[in-house]
Amino acid sequence: TGALNRNGFAAEMGQRSPNGKMLANTTLMIIDLDNFKRINDSRGHDAGDAVLRETAQVIHKNTRTTDRFIRWGGEEFILFCENTNAQQALVIAEKIRAAIETMTINYHEDAISVTVSIGLGVAVAQENFDDLFHRTDQALYRAKHMGRNCVVLSDNTTPT
């Protein structure tokens, strides 16, 4: 996919934030392919791999050079954006969501369409990555429950 893996991202985060704290206006997006299991089950894992590659290319094309793009696992990607407020992040996330919704993946004789749900979280000053991830994951969960193919911004309250 051309995305960093978790280990590569962890090493980078250790250099960027040795104390584990995020700067304010650090944005995290969790991008999850909707109903991906259905693609693998009905068309096979090679088709699923093609979907992952094409989706990753669309995400790459719609991000900035300073953003970090990570394959988190399975059909889940993360976009880590520094110096990005909520308004800017919503524009980026919606641009990615819309671009993926309109793409068609041609796999053999089959045309595959996909959508993504995106959870979005913006760090408050000195928030740790795990808390930001948890809030962002909750936003993704809400996006899935709202019917998928949407972007949901988390609240800015860190868990206690």
Side-chain angles (χ1 to χ4, degrees):
T1 61
L4 277 173
N5 63 24
R6 280 185 180 209
N7 291 337
F9 180 63
E12 237 185 63
M13 285 300 294
Q15 293 173 352
R16 287 176 188 252
S17 179
N19 66 357
K21 303 293 182 185
M22 304 288 104
L23 298 173
N25 286 331
T26 298
T27 299
L28 185 66
M29 297 178 207
I30 303 175
I31 305 166
D32 188 79
L33 276 84
D34 296 326
N35 302 308
F36 183 72
K37 184 178 180 335
R38 214 178 292 165
I39 294 168
N40 274 338
D41 290 349
S42 65
R43 294 181 170 101
H45 291 280
D46 288 344
D49 289 347
V51 167
L52 290 171
R53 280 191 304 273
E54 294 288 329
T55 301
Q57 285 181 4
V58 169
I59 295 169
H60 276 296
K61 288 178 185 173
N62 288 284
T63 58
R64 305 164 302 184
T65 56
T66 56
D67 298 336
R68 304 309 296 145
F69 178 49
I70 304 100
R71 169 105 181 264
W72 199 247
E75 72 278 7
E76 203 167 65
F77 296 96
I78 287 182
L79 193 60
F80 183 84
C81 310
E82 294 178 314
N83 300 313
T84 307
N85 64 33
Q87 192 172 22
Q88 294 165 321
L90 283 166
V91 169
I92 294 166
E94 181 55 30
K95 184 178 174 185
I96 290 168
R97 188 209 58 76
I100 291 170
E101 179 184 39
T102 61
M103 77 176 184
T104 301
I105 299 157
N106 295 310
Y107 181 74
H108 297 295
E109 301 291 320
D110 211 0
I112 305 170
S113 297
V114 295
T115 60
V116 293
S117 298
I118 302 176
L120 181 71
V122 181
V124 295
Q126 298 300 302
E127 182 175 17
N128 70 44
F129 179 81
D130 290 340
D131 288 342
L132 175 60
F133 183 89
H134 178 75
R135 285 192 303 105
T136 305
D137 196 42
Q138 291 296 317
L140 174 63
Y141 186 76
R142 287 195 309 273
K144 294 287 186 181
H145 278 279
M146 290 172 58
R148 297 180 170 81
N149 192 27
C150 63
V151 176
V152 173
L153 177 64
S154 76
D155 62 22
N156 275 348
T157 313
T158 55
T160 56

